[in-house]
Amino acid sequence: MGQNKNLIIGEKESFIIRVLLKKLADADIDVVFTTMDLNKIHEVWNDVALVTFYMEKDESLPDDIKTYLVDNLENDDKKMILIGESVDNERMAEVIPGHLIYQKLPRPLDYDAYISCVNKYNSQITSGELKKKILIVDDDPNYMSLVREWMVADYKVSMVTSGLRAIKWLAENKADLILLDYEMPVTSGPQVLEMLRADEETKDIPVIFLTGNDSKESVMSVVELKPQGYFLKTMPKDEFLNKIKIFFIQQDEA
């Protein structure tokens, strides 16, 4: 993630763009503008956390810039604001995946609404609020600590060592995903899942089982409980993180 700088992309530095840049500067918001030039966008990319595309009527992104933005917004966990007429915003939303779009704002632009939107995003970035919240439930603290270390740069990760502690934690906190050990003493993973599904507050929280047993019988028993998936504990780091990333992309687009 770059610094809390806003990159504005537009066809040219029009009068409206100059007014917008001035208002952002007056609001102490760090901003840089560039035309639709891939080299210029690449030069400043690492320093920005939020991208704004200001569209004139019927304007689109060139294919090379669109591909660059989609790939790098995804890889660097950055978001995009679209500013345009309703039809143009919706057209762009068809080529930019929804989970990458932070907000769509209409033209003519309400400057105060835009500044408020940018400030909200910066605040959420600073606080970590935009990070997905993952709860790991496992009786092996060493494994939990390893997995947390893998994920903590990109997610807000909490850990508990039993199913009952998970239930208690969820009574006071929210989670976007639960990674649940299948085999635990006292209250097993399947029993915890049953309790979660029976409670109105937790029934819709996605659950992925963690299992150390890759036998056919074990895998089938996990699948029959209809969680959102299962991960083998022997899974290497890169594969693990990629599967988590794909899971959230699919969730956001569902």
Side-chain angles (χ1 to χ4, degrees):
M1 177 65 67
Q3 302 302 314
N4 287 5
K5 180 179 286 188
N6 183 15
L7 167 63
I8 299 179
I9 301 171
E11 182 180 21
K12 60 184 179 180
E13 191 173 336
S14 63
F15 173 76
I16 297 296
I17 292 290
R18 288 195 294 272
V19 172
L20 181 55
L21 295 174
K22 176 67 164 55
K23 287 185 176 292
L24 288 168
D26 289 344
D28 291 324
I29 293 173
D30 199 0
V31 61
V32 59
F33 170 80
T34 181
T35 56
M36 288 188 279
D37 181 314
L38 185 56
N39 290 330
K40 291 180 180 178
I41 293 171
H42 181 69
E43 283 177 8
V44 301
W45 184 260
N46 289 334
D47 295 326
V48 303
L50 178 65
V51 179
T52 296
F53 179 35
Y54 186 92
M55 288 175 278
E56 301 295 342
K57 185 175 175 59
D58 299 327
E59 191 171 48
S60 297
L61 286 167
D63 287 343
D64 58 343
I65 293 179
K66 179 186 69 178
T67 300
Y68 180 91
L69 289 176
V70 170
D71 289 347
N72 286 279
L73 288 169
E74 189 77 74
N75 292 336
D76 298 338
D77 194 25
K78 300 177 183 181
K79 301 292 184 184
M80 188 174 196
I81 294 175
L82 299 176
I83 300 175
E85 295 186 9
S86 178
V87 64
D88 293 321
N89 279 338
E90 293 309 315
R91 177 170 43 80
M92 283 304 303
E94 292 177 1
V95 298
I96 303 293
H99 66 281
L100 300 178
I101 299 174
Y102 184 69
Q103 188 65 270
K104 292 180 286 188
L105 298 175
R107 289 181 51 213
L109 180 63
D110 181 329
Y111 296 112
D112 290 338
Y114 176 71
I115 289 171
S116 176
C117 183
V118 173
N119 280 330
K120 180 180 178 182
Y121 179 85
N122 288 339
S123 175
Q124 289 175 319
I125 285 293
T126 301
S127 68
E129 187 178 341
L130 287 179
K131 289 185 176 181
K132 298 290 188 180
K133 301 174 181 66
I134 298 176
L135 174 65
I136 311 173
V137 187
D138 198 308
D139 64 316
D140 182 347
N142 292 325
Y143 177 75
M144 278 201 301
S145 296
L146 174 64
V147 172
R148 182 183 183 279
E149 183 179 330
W150 289 352
M151 297 191 295
V152 73
D154 299 309
Y155 307 100
K156 293 185 73 173
V157 185
S158 300
M159 305 183 298
V160 294
T161 55
S162 73
L164 294 180
R165 287 180 179 175
I167 299 298
K168 183 177 180 181
W169 187 92
L170 289 164
E172 300 177 354
N173 302 276
K174 300 292 184 182
D176 297 300
L177 173 65
I178 299 171
L179 298 177
L180 177 60
D181 186 15
Y182 186 79
E183 296 179 306
M184 291 187 294
V186 184
T187 309
S188 69
Q191 290 173 317
V192 175
L193 180 58
E194 288 180 8
M195 288 189 285
L196 293 173
R197 295 294 181 255
D199 190 313
E200 193 68 27
E201 296 296 319
T202 59
K203 67 178 184 178
D204 295 323
I205 302 175
V207 172
I208 292 177
F209 275 123
L210 302 169
T211 177
N213 191 338
D214 62 355
S215 69
K216 181 178 179 180
E217 294 77 13
S218 177
V219 169
M220 289 307 298
S221 64
V222 168
V223 172
E224 286 174 0
L225 291 166
K226 298 182 179 178
Q228 275 64 39
Y230 73 92
F231 290 175
L232 294 176
K233 290 189 174 183
T234 54
M235 187 184 298
K237 174 183 177 180
D238 288 347
E239 182 181 356
F240 183 98
L241 293 176
N242 189 52
K243 284 181 177 291
I244 292 286
K245 183 176 182 178
I246 290 172
F247 168 78
F248 280 126
I249 290 173
Q250 292 173 339
Q251 285 287 110
D252 288 341
E253 293 181 343

